[in-house]
Amino acid sequence: MSSSTMIDGIAGTGDAVGSDPGRRPLKLEDPATVTTITELIASHDGGAVHARLREEWGDMAPVELEPGARAWLVTGYRTIVAMARGQLPLTMTTGTWSGHEREAPSADSPLLRPLASVDRPTVEQSDGSRHSRLRTPLDDALGGIDDAEVTRTTRARCDKLIDEFAATGVADLVREYVAPMPHLTLGAVLGFDARTAQQVFEAAARPAAGRDAVSAVHEVSFLLTGQAAARRADGTPTPAGRLARHAAYESTAEAALGVLSLTATAALGLQAWLAQTIYLSLTDDRFARRLAGGRLGTDEALDEVLWTAPPVSALAPRIAVDDFLLGGKLVQRGDALLLAVGALGSDPSIRGEGPWDGSGSSAHLTFGLGAHACPAPHLARLIVRTAAETLHRRLTPTLTLRPEELRWAPDFRFRLLESLPVVFRPEQSSPSEHEL
């Protein structure tokens, strides 16, 4: 270790290394067997898994991502806050993960993609002054978006999506509504036409390393060149145009990486939040009534999703840049740490016993905090709220599977349902009746 007196990075909670010679701190590789992250993803009661991990390991548990690849799953509110605020020696640069130095499983694994080593770090994978420089264009572009425009655009695009299946009486709401929603809504809000938005979001969905990543940067760089002069009807630059020409970017490739990072994360976050909202409305009558209660009821319902069915399981991974002791565990340089904000809804230290306790509070940390917090949580809420309200206004779907038959995609960051098959009374009205 760099210092023999390195203590918990959270003031007042730790002991100096070596203060108790009889107690050897736990290293990530010490336990013979640990809970796999796939068990947590597959569970229909993630809170129970988190509670078991807390009971066994405390606020930081060793978990297996893939055979031969482990990480620390951080489930304690105070510890997550300290790490997100940079109070411990951590970096966002995933290329420093120790798994790259040994024969870890292939980075093609969807569970390891967030830890891939990249040639050109995005804003999400950068620290310090570089991160600040790359973050500024996103804040500038997203900060000038009009709420009313977001609502109008989202409602219109969502109505058109529903038009495609409303008369059939049957749909997979993930495939036909949730999955395409982000590129149609956020893409339009950013100023992309439908075809360009689809190309950008498809490029953003490719792996962040290797030839796919290089081709994505080239493709989006080309698309942004055409957006540089793009204007709104009032003559002001579109958000995409602001990003394409922002002075903080040193090249078009940097601007392309900014757009790819924004759209990749936003697409998954929007999909997860909307899908979890629809899932609860189909499986919990009380929640469905709350969702139908108008704007205030919808916002309270969306808050409840963030607590009881969190769409974000963990923030972007951090990597230790030095050894440190925390709660009886020895975090070693190169260890990966997953800040499991999805565990906070089941943390009795910040929530009470009631089913709605915590609603309205941001202690769920879904949008992160510190320098790497989500740049536009209000925009995300507007889009998800409008998409959920539009679906509820048009249809009254019923789930065709038992809730326990539903499955989530292999992703340790976002809670992504693979399907939501439903039936409903076919709509008889023509599509034009729903156009603005």
Side-chain angles (χ1 to χ4, degrees), residues 8-10 13 58-61 72-88 90 315 318 324-327 329 331 337-341 344 347 349-350 365 369:
D8 279 4
I10 310 170
T13 65
D59 284 352
M60 195 163 67
W72 293 106
L73 188 74
V74 185
T75 61
Y77 176 81
R78 195 173 176 211
T79 307
I80 290 175
V81 169
M83 290 182 175
R85 287 180 173 166
Q87 296 173 11
L88 288 159
L90 304 174
L315 303 180
R318 271 71 170 169
F324 61 91
L325 186 66
L326 188 63
K329 283 90 173 178
V331 178
L337 298 99
L338 312 182
L339 279 55
V341 294
L344 299 181
D347 186 347
S349 70
I350 60 170
L365 301 183
L369 72 163

Side-chain angles (χ1 to χ4, degrees), residues 351-374:
R351 293 200 70 201
E353 299 295 330
W356 300 99
D357 285 351
S359 291
S361 166
S362 61
H364 49 71
L365 301 183
T366 297
F367 304 107
L369 72 163
H372 287 271
C374 170

Side-chain angles (χ1 to χ4, degrees), residues 111-301:
L111 291 173
L112 296 184
R113 283 177 189 166
L115 289 163
S117 181
V118 295
D119 294 330
R120 294 175 172 176
T122 64
V123 60
E124 192 175 57
Q125 298 162 316
S126 300
D127 302 303
S129 59
R130 177 181 172 83
H131 172 265
S132 297
R133 179 174 66 81
L134 297 178
R135 173 67 182 249
T136 298
L138 299 180
D139 291 336
D140 290 348
L142 297 175
I145 295 176
D146 179 65
D147 286 3
E149 178 189 355
V150 173
T151 302
R152 284 194 305 270
T153 300
T154 302
R155 184 180 298 117
R157 298 305 190 277
C158 287
D159 267 328
K160 288 186 176 181
L161 282 173
I162 296 170
D163 287 341
E164 295 296 319
F165 58 81
T168 68
V170 61
D172 176 352
L173 290 179
V174 167
R175 179 173 58 85
E176 299 176 68
Y177 191 63
V178 172
M181 183 274 294
H183 86 254
L184 291 174
T185 57
L186 182 58
V189 168
L190 291 175
F192 294 120
D193 60 68
R195 182 178 178 183
T196 302
Q198 183 171 353
Q199 290 174 302
V200 169
F201 277 78
E202 286 177 352
R206 297 174 197 163
R211 278 182 286 183
D212 282 339
V214 174
S215 67
V217 171
H218 288 324
E219 182 177 343
V220 174
S221 294
F222 175 76
L223 294 172
L224 281 181
T225 300
Q227 293 291 321
R231 300 272 171 175
R232 298 178 182 275
D234 63 3
T236 60
T238 64
R242 291 180 186 275
L243 288 171
R245 302 190 309 167
H246 203 286
Y249 288 134
E250 296 178 351
S251 65
T252 304
E254 274 197 349
L257 281 168
V259 171
L260 287 167
S261 178
L262 168 65
T263 51
T265 304
L268 295 174
L270 291 171
Q271 288 169 2
W273 197 1
L274 179 58
Q276 291 295 85
T277 301
I278 298 171
Y279 164 72
L280 281 186
S281 73
L282 296 174
T283 58
D284 186 331
D285 291 340
R286 179 177 55 181
F287 178 85
R289 290 193 296 271
R290 179 69 63 101
L291 188 62
R295 175 174 173 176
L296 180 60
T298 302
D299 276 327
E300 290 179 347

